[in-house]
Amino acid sequence: MEGDGSDSLVTIKNIERELICPACKELFTHPLILPCQHSICHKCVKELLLMLDDSFNDVGSDNSNQSSPRLRFPSPSVDKIDRISRPGWKRNSLTPRTTTFPCPGCEHDVDLGERGINGLFRNFTLETIVERYRQAARAATAIMCDLCKPPPQESTKSCMDCSASYCNECFKIYHPWGTVKAQHEYVGPTTNFRPKILMCPEHETERINMYCELCKRPVCHLCKLGGNHSNHRVTTMSSAYKTLKEKLSKDIDYLIGKESQVKSQISELNLLMKETECNGERAKEEAITHFEKLFEVLEERKSSVLKAIDASKKLRLDKFQTQMEEYQGLLENNGLVGYAQEVLKETDQSCFVQTAKQLHLRIQKATESLKSFRPAAQTSFEDYVVNTSKQTELLGELSFFSSGIDVPEINEEQSKVYNNALINWHHPEKDKADSYVLEYRKINKDEEMLSWNEVEVCGTSKVISDLESNVNYAFRVRAYKGSICSPCSRELILHTPPAPVFSFLFDEKCGYNNEHLLLNLKRDRVESRAGFNLLLAAERIQVGYYTSLDYIIGDVGITKGKHFWAFRVEPYSYMVKVGVASSDKLQEWLRSPRDAVSPRYEQDSGHDSGSEDTCFDSSQPFTLVTIGMKKFFIPKSPTSSNEPENRVLPMPTSIGVFLDYDKGKVGFYDMDHMKCLYERQVDCSHTMYPAFALMGSGGIQLEESITAKYLEYQENM
């Protein structure tokens, strides 16, 4: 018996790697079975969903931080603007909670459906094995009786119906003979109590009695009759139990029967590991030798170049020195002038003429050089600048002699950066890789080379989070096929937004005109249909009048911090105005007569009516720019001398708005190049809201946040 117990202890300790949660890397605690059949701790599933839900709904990266400056305020209704604008008012998120996340075991997306965690089965079998492992690991630790008076006695059995452990005396007291409790099921001492009957998570009062062969999960009869499994092929639980147990037993017997073969293959793997170690060290030595040869060539060229520069420098300095000495001789009592002054003292005419002739020529030459001063040499070393651009590019592509796998290419059109970075790449089908490694690093303003961050990817796209704001990042990717690695792709440079991304939806309550504007169910797209009612009433129209703008705002306000959001204006749009507005200005807009919001009287409309020049204020409680007819119109300023043509730019594919609430500044960006097109001051003394207005045909689509759902796996491509 002792020998059997020892064997059991050794066996249970040897399976520890199978009892570790892939998320927290600790022993499973209340494991749940995911749709992909991998297990994960209950708390880990909740943490993953909360983390993804925060990244999707958060106004910034630190939504969970109570000290975050980004507070979420609801948009105001006409009669409640003053009340809800007070600091401290928050709203619950209107965005549905995330139910899709990547499984930590296989990295494939799993969808928990409408019931979320409540729709998952608890893996009681795995939980029991983990408990047995814990007990084996702490064999000397006894389980004490739960009902004893202090001090408690060591328990001898556990009741599965009562979910408690008892010593012999307490068990007799609480399970008297001849009562219902005497029929309870009891086992040896344990801390793992599981229900005797497995209940359906979708129909909580129904027990599990069937097995869906399509979904590979237990179901109840209601699931089959009218639930999600009504059209699926099911079998009885006893039949599924018998079939799966026979298959598992057969497979285990096969593996046990091949034990000698497994041991032989383990020995072979050990030899291969040693051989790989030796070959890897040899490859490193060869690589070092090749690089040392390159260093030698570079040192030789460096020495040659420096010698040439030094020789040219010495020659030029010698020329300058000679010229300087000649000019110093022109000074009084120095050199040539001093000598000439002494010659003038000669009184003998013959001797004077004999010496003065040559001296006069020298004086004339010095006089001419003084009139037209020219340096004896050039100071510039432009001809000695070493051009290493081509060599640098070649060294950047330096790789192994023949990798046997083509270089993947990053798709610049499908790669973008918003709240996160989405990087897409493609690879020739004939060289389809087993996996890829995406590398990225921050590029400092002084172009300091920082180390690369690496992420292993199964598919051909990846979402990178936790990037800093207003920074350039370089991305590149390489492919792996077996043990072969391809060279890195060309680098893609992306510039992150100037501030954390602000999350909001269109508000269908505050000022929303459902006769003129059409809002989709997700509330992230609005279209203008203002002309339809006008056409229906066309026979009653006798005179022309200005059509008003239809306003719509975001459902979340801003009271502090820096924020950035982006959107797309449909190319067919006639006139769209976008920007920010304060809560007090919204109240004025929504209660004022129609002509007050006519484009002729709109201060920032972009129309050349003349009114905006006289009414322009450097710090207004709102800022709106005009977009329309595939153009972006920069508002006029009384201090600007630009002509209207200078204020008209091509409409960007995607437009970003950057609001610095604390500094009272708003900027409008071209998202494709992350370039600021227009910036000005704005009065931020009240709660600020993203504001939009449409006239005529038009449409606005809010940019969708980049989340893990962008990930595409090979089997889905």
Side-chain angles (χ1 to χ4, degrees):
M1 294 295 292
E2 292 180 359
D4 293 341
S6 176
D7 292 343
S8 176
L9 179 62
V10 172
T11 302
I12 202 71
K13 283 189 175 181
N14 288 342
I15 65 172
E16 179 180 0
R17 56 182 290 181
E18 301 295 331
L19 310 180
I20 300 296
C21 172
C24 62
K25 306 301 180 184
E26 297 177 358
L27 290 174
F28 282 106
T29 304
H30 305 307
L32 301 177
I33 304 175
L34 300 178
C36 60
Q37 301 304 307
H38 291 99
S39 293
I40 183 174
C41 296
H42 181 272
K43 61 180 178 60
C44 294
V45 177
K46 290 182 65 176
E47 289 174 358
L48 282 170
L49 290 176
L50 286 173
M51 180 177 65
L52 292 174
D53 197 47
D54 285 345
S55 67
F56 182 76
N57 296 321
D58 191 13
V59 296
S61 59
D62 53 352
N63 175 268
S64 59
N65 186 356
Q66 295 302 317
S67 63
S68 171
R70 292 175 292 278
L71 300 179
R72 300 175 68 84
F73 285 81
S75 56
S77 59
V78 177
D79 58 338
K80 296 182 180 180
I81 285 181
D82 296 332
R83 178 174 66 84
I84 67 174
S85 295
R86 292 197 300 266
W89 202 97
K90 297 184 179 180
R91 74 170 179 91
N92 292 327
S93 173
L94 295 176
T95 308
R97 291 185 60 82
T98 305
T99 59
T100 301
F101 67 96
C103 168
C106 60
E107 297 185 357
H108 288 197
D109 276 354
V110 290
D111 190 353
L112 303 186
E114 296 180 357
R115 290 181 57 81
I117 297 178
N118 296 329
L120 297 178
F121 280 106
R122 190 166 158 185
N123 195 336
F124 289 109
T125 301
L126 177 57
E127 197 168 337
T128 301
I129 297 173
V130 170
E131 178 59 26
R132 288 208 301 267
Y133 174 82
R134 292 183 191 273
Q135 292 183 14
R138 59 171 191 265
T141 305
I143 298 175
M144 309 309 291
C145 176
D146 294 326
L147 282 300
C148 274
K149 294 182 179 179
Q153 301 295 314
E154 184 176 340
S155 65
T156 57
K157 53 179 67 69
S158 296
C159 178
M160 301 304 291
D161 294 276
C162 300
S163 298
S165 298
Y166 301 87
C167 63
N168 283 332
E169 293 301 322
C170 289
F171 187 81
K172 292 177 182 178
I173 295 173
Y174 291 97
H175 296 78
W177 185 259
T179 64
V180 176
K181 286 192 174 182
Q183 306 300 319
H184 284 188
E185 179 185 357
Y186 62 91
V187 296
T190 183
T191 57
N192 179 42
F193 300 98
R194 67 181 189 182
K196 300 176 66 175
I197 301 174
L198 196 60
M199 307 303 290
C200 178
E202 296 186 20
H203 310 95
E204 298 176 356
T205 59
E206 299 296 327
R207 62 180 294 175
I208 295 298
N209 54 9
M210 289 182 286
Y211 182 80
C212 178
E213 296 184 354
L214 179 63
C215 301
K216 306 295 182 185
R217 61 174 292 170
V219 295
C220 70
H221 71 282
L222 291 182
C223 292
K224 174 60 179 173
L225 290 177
N228 296 330
H229 307 270
S230 57
N231 296 323
H232 297 178
R233 181 179 177 180
V234 299
T235 185
T236 61
M237 188 59 68
S238 58
S239 175
Y241 169 81
K242 181 180 179 181
T243 301
L244 290 175
K245 192 163 188 177
E246 286 178 356
K247 288 182 178 179
L248 185 58
S249 300
K250 186 177 179 181
D251 291 340
I252 293 174
D253 291 340
Y254 175 81
L255 291 177
I256 293 175
K258 297 291 183 179
E259 185 172 354
S260 59
Q261 181 180 345
V262 172
K263 290 181 178 179
S264 173
Q265 291 174 350
I266 290 175
S267 300
E268 184 179 352
L269 288 173
N270 283 326
L271 292 175
L272 292 174
M273 288 175 64
K274 293 179 180 179
E275 184 179 351
T276 301
E277 184 75 23
C278 294
N279 291 339
E281 291 299 321
R282 188 181 300 113
K284 285 174 61 177
E285 292 175 0
E286 292 178 356
I288 291 173
T289 301
H290 286 298
F291 277 102
E292 287 177 347
K293 289 181 179 179
L294 285 176
F295 295 153
E296 291 175 2
V297 173
L298 286 174
E299 283 295 332
E300 181 184 350
R301 295 302 303 153
K302 175 183 174 182
S303 176
S304 176
V305 168
L306 294 181
K307 284 181 180 179
I309 294 175
D310 285 339
S312 178
K313 181 179 71 172
K314 184 178 183 303
L315 179 62
R316 297 183 192 195
L317 290 176
D318 289 343
K319 289 182 178 181
F320 280 128
Q321 183 65 33
T322 301
Q323 188 178 22
M324 187 171 63
E325 291 175 355
E326 291 178 355
Y327 273 81
Q328 284 178 344
L330 300 181
L331 298 176
E332 186 177 3
N333 300 323
N334 276 338
L336 183 61
V337 173
Y339 174 64
Q341 288 174 338
E342 292 298 322
V343 170
L344 287 175
K345 296 177 182 179
E346 176 63 52
T347 58
D348 186 282
Q349 294 181 357
S350 299
C351 291
F352 176 81
V353 171
Q354 182 184 17
T355 305
K357 180 61 177 177
Q358 180 63 27
L359 180 60
H360 184 246
L361 292 176
R362 291 179 61 192
I363 292 292
Q364 281 185 323
K365 185 177 180 182
T367 303
E368 290 297 327
S369 65
L370 192 62
K371 292 180 179 178
S372 57
F373 174 74
R374 292 182 61 184
Q378 295 290 332
T379 60
S380 173
F381 278 76
E382 293 179 354
D383 295 338
Y384 287 84
V385 175
V386 180
N387 182 8
T388 61
S389 58
K390 183 177 180 181
Q391 289 74 13
T392 301
E393 184 177 355
L394 289 174
L395 287 174
E397 298 175 355
L398 185 64
S399 184
F400 303 108
F401 179 70
S402 177
S403 66
I405 182 171
D406 288 341
V407 181
E409 296 181 10
I410 294 181
N411 191 324
E412 297 186 14
E413 294 183 357
Q414 296 182 7
S415 299
K416 64 178 182 177
V417 64
Y418 190 38
N419 59 317
N420 296 317
L422 170 65
I423 308 299
N424 275 285
W425 60 90
H426 53 82
H427 208 215
E429 188 68 26
K430 63 183 180 66
D431 288 326
K432 197 166 185 65
D434 299 329
S435 63
Y436 300 88
V437 170
L438 176 63
E439 298 181 347
Y440 64 97
R441 68 179 176 186
K442 183 172 66 172
I443 302 176
N444 288 346
K445 293 182 179 179
D446 55 1
E447 296 187 356
E448 178 185 355
M449 291 297 182
L450 302 178
S451 59
W452 290 92
N453 300 294
E454 295 187 355
V455 182
E456 187 173 353
V457 187
C458 296
T460 56
S461 63
K462 181 65 178 177
V463 174
I464 302 295
S465 57
D466 299 326
L467 300 179
E468 295 182 23
S469 299
N470 200 25
V471 171
N472 279 319
Y473 279 89
F475 299 87
R476 68 185 188 186
V477 66
R478 64 179 187 269
Y480 280 88
K481 189 174 184 180
S483 59
I484 302 175
C485 173
S486 77
C488 289
S489 66
R490 289 186 177 274
E491 295 181 13
L492 171 66
I493 308 297
L494 294 178
H495 191 94
T496 56
V501 170
F502 183 65
S503 177
F504 67 92
L505 300 171
F506 288 121
D507 192 345
E508 80 276 42
K509 297 178 181 178
C510 180
Y512 171 64
N513 188 340
N514 57 9
E515 293 184 358
H516 293 174
L517 300 179
L518 178 63
L519 194 61
N520 68 348
L521 294 177
K522 293 174 63 178
R523 293 196 289 117
D524 63 351
R525 179 181 176 83
V526 64
E527 294 182 356
S528 172
R529 53 182 182 183
F532 186 69
N533 291 335
L534 185 64
L535 291 175
L536 291 177
E539 67 275 5
R540 300 195 301 271
I541 297 177
Q542 302 298 327
V543 294
Y545 63 95
Y546 288 104
T547 304
S548 65
L549 287 164
D550 292 302
Y551 287 91
I552 188 168
I553 64 173
D555 63 347
V556 184
I558 298 171
T559 59
K560 60 177 66 175
K562 298 178 180 180
H563 307 273
F564 184 85
W565 61 92
F567 50 87
R568 298 189 303 274
V569 175
E570 295 296 342
Y572 63 80
S573 301
Y574 171 67
M575 190 175 84
V576 173
K577 297 169 72 63
V578 297
V580 295
S582 65
S583 54
D584 62 330
K585 188 62 182 179
L586 291 173
Q587 188 176 20
E588 176 187 333
W589 278 346
L590 299 175
R591 287 178 173 172
S592 62
R594 182 179 61 80
D595 60 350
V597 291
S598 168
R600 176 171 291 278
Y601 296 96
E602 182 59 54
Q603 293 178 343
D604 237 359
S605 68
H607 289 260
D608 297 327
S609 60
S611 61
E612 55 191 13
D613 290 338
T614 59
C615 299
F616 190 99
D617 182 4
S618 62
S619 181
Q620 302 178 40
F622 68 95
T623 290
L624 297 173
V625 298
T626 303
I627 303 166
M629 303 178 69
K630 299 182 181 181
K631 301 294 182 182
F632 181 94
F633 299 88
I634 297 178
K636 292 178 63 177
S637 169
T639 60
S640 174
S641 59
N642 290 343
E643 295 296 325
E645 290 77 13
N646 301 99
R647 299 188 296 111
V648 180
L649 304 175
M651 184 180 75
T653 305
S654 182
I655 300 166
V657 178
F658 168 47
L659 175 65
D660 189 338
Y661 186 95
D662 300 328
K663 292 184 178 180
K665 186 180 296 184
V666 63
F668 297 85
Y669 282 71
D670 178 353
M671 277 286 291
D672 293 337
H673 307 94
M674 206 58 69
K675 175 185 177 182
C676 184
L677 304 176
Y678 172 61
E679 186 179 73
R680 60 161 290 184
Q681 295 295 122
V682 64
D683 180 9
C684 292
S685 57
H686 296 79
T687 303
M688 304 299 291
Y689 294 88
F692 307 84
L694 298 92
M695 176 188 289
S697 299
I700 303 173
Q701 173 70 56
L702 299 180
E703 279 290 349
E704 186 177 3
S705 296
I706 299 174
T707 60
K709 72 177 184 176
Y710 280 88
L711 295 176
E712 296 179 2
Y713 298 96
Q714 289 181 340
E715 63 269 18
N716 295 327
M717 294 179 62

